[in-house]
């Protein structure tokens, strides 16, 4: 199993500097990770640093709370793709989901997917805040809205990915959507177990350590 091609090499901290992002991209090129995942302000910088490498650029939007209005998320997504992002990792409006407003959640995902066209859309449902029924509902919203992935976590909530959540999410989306596990993945054994459970992408800032031990 080539773990490097499952990894989105990630740096999303508020204190990440341009130099940190350039270093992230150097590491991603050296180890041939699938993508780097960065905040929107660094998309263009990452794209320039990765030019010709084959490593994708993923950008987060509505991050990390998901509570900004839909028009702002759409604008952010368009700006990121215009700046060179290949993939968008969006956070759903968790409050609307918990209030049972599934139409709002589904429509927002759908509008963002339409705004980015053929670019990949990953939908972060932030499992740590959801009941099992809410996790199922969120996955169904992403399915109906024709997203490309469902993703467990931002890594900034009260908890990250769990084996149980990935198993549940995969059981709902099947082969129609892919699953990204993110948050708290720090070693090769854990990474491999997520892949066995059906995750096709892993979000982690520990990618170098993970592949060095695989």
């Amino acid at each position: 199993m080539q773990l490097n091609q499952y990894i989105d090499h990630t740096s999303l901290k508020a204190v990440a500097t341009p130099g940190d992002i350039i270093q992230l991209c150097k590491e991603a090129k050296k180890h041939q990770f699938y993508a780097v995942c960065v905040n929107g302000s660094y998309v263009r910088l990452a794209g320039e640093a990765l030019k010709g490498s084959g490593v994708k650029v993923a950008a987060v939007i509505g991050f990390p709370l998901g509570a900004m209005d839909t028009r702002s998320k759409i604008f952010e997504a368009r700006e990121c793709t215009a700046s060179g992002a290949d993939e968008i990792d969006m956070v759903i409006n968790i409050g609307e989901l918990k209030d049972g407003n599934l139409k709002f959640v589904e429509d927002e995902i759908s509008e963002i997917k339409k705004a980015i066209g053929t670019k990949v859309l990953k939908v972060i449902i932030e499992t740590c805040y959801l009941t099992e029924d809410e996790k199922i509902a969120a996955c169904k919203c992403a399915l109906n809205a024709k997203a490309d992935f469902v993703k467990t976590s931002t890594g900034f909530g009260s908890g990250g990915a769990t084996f149980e959540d990935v198993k549940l999410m995969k059981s709902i989306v099947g082969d129609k959507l892919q699953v990204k596990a993110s948050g708290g993945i720090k070693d090769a054994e854990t990474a491999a177990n997520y892949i066995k459970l059906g995750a096709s992408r892993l979000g982690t800032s520990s990618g170098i350590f993970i592949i060095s031990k695989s």
Side-chain angles (χ1 to χ4, degrees), residues 1 21 37 47 88 171 185 201:
M1 184 184 294
I21 301 304
C37 189
I88 296 294
S171 75
I185 304 170
R201 202 79 67 80

Side-chain angles (χ1 to χ4, degrees), residues 69-125:
D69 67 271
T70 298
R71 286 182 299 174
S72 297
K73 289 182 182 177
I74 292 169
F75 179 82
E76 195 177 5
R78 284 181 172 151
E79 286 294 298
C80 286
T81 53
S83 294
D86 303 291
E87 303 184 346
I88 296 294
D89 291 31
M90 67 162 284
V91 187
I92 64 166
N93 190 307
I94 300 160
E96 293 285 1
L97 178 79
K98 294 191 76 67
D99 200 45
N101 194 352
L102 302 184
K103 185 178 186 306
F104 179 97
V105 176
E106 184 178 318
D107 286 350
E108 182 174 83
I109 298 167
S110 179
E111 288 181 49
I112 292 168
K113 178 57 183 173
K114 287 173 186 171
I116 66 172
T118 58
K119 305 293 187 181
V120 169
L121 179 62
K122 308 191 200 90
V123 177
I124 306 171
I125 65 173

